[in-house]
Amino acid sequence: MSNSSKQNIVLPSLNIDNLSLFYHKKPAFKGINIPIHGGKITALIGPSGCGKSSFLSCINRLVDMIPNTHIEGNIRLDGLPILGKKIDTLNLRRHIGTIFQKPNPFPFSIYKNLAFPLKEHGIKDKNKIEYLIEKSLKNVGLWQEIKDRLHQNALSLSGGQKQRLCIARALILEPEVLLFDEPCSALDPISSGVVEDLIASLRDKYTVVIVTHNLAQAKRIGDYGALFWTENNIGTLAEFGTIEQIFNHPQSEITRAYIQGIRG
Ligand SMILES: Nc1ncnc2c1ncn2[C@@H]1O[C@H](COP(=O)(O)OP(=O)(O)OP(=O)(O)O)[C@@H](O)[C@H]1O
């Protein structure tokens, strides 16, 4: 689906209902309720260890790969439950792309990095693959920069280019939801700005959830914000609201103190 046609469809929401995650029976977070609005950017903020990354790993079901984990509660994507053993997680991750903190291109060519997920999902037609590679690189503003070096090793790219390639690799499967786990924190300030602008440009085309330690970034690009906190070493949700509410009219004393840099 092209980005222009995406603008005409309703993007899926994610409903997080009383979600708890346990590692080896110990809760990482408990009782999280968040409505993640379709086509908007929801920024997850909060101190280290309060469960933000673990929360993302429940949405994309990467948590299934960690032994001795247990989830309680529900996550619904466009109303459909996505937890449970019967869900085809490979197919789910076609709809929910993830971009990690450290740009992690595979150690082979730029072309193969982008062709790999397509082949994994059964797309083998060379013309279609080349069309989708060009489209996804254009979507992240990389096409002009690297169109003449598609067969060079992706590890030869700069840090910012690598991260944009990883975003292109997520976009190539045409997901509706994108999860970003501190996508700028390993980048220099200029590359960080380029990637941040790119994420902001995805608003209205994808449902975006971003974990960031950079409060200014959350304020700049978020539509909604969720402050995670810890009580007795267990993650909780201190507050969810519009970014305007979180930063200018917080309802919780914890949020007020965290935003002002007094706590956390
Ligand atoms: N694979 C794991 N096995 C056991 N415990 C884990 C695992 N991953 C995370 N945890 C624990 O779960 C809690 C939440 O960690 P998580 O990384 O989700 O927090 P975070 O808010 O994303 O932190 P940061 O901002 O530092 O990335 C922590 O106590 C952490 O030690």
Side-chain angles (χ1 to χ4, degrees), residues 204-219:
D204 300 329
K205 302 186 191 105
Y206 301 88
T207 300
V208 174
V209 183
I210 177 171
V211 169
T212 178
H213 279 282
N214 182 335
L215 294 184
Q217 180 175 72
K219 194 173 178 182

Side-chain angles (χ1 to χ4, degrees), residues 23-24 26-29 46-55 66 101 181-182 211 213 228 233:
Y23 292 113
H24 297 275
K26 184 186 173 305
F29 59 77
S48 199
C50 58
K52 304 177 298 296
S53 299
S54 300
F55 176 78
I66 305 171
Q101 176 175 10
D181 195 350
E182 297 186 53
V211 169
H213 279 282
F228 279 58
N233 280 328

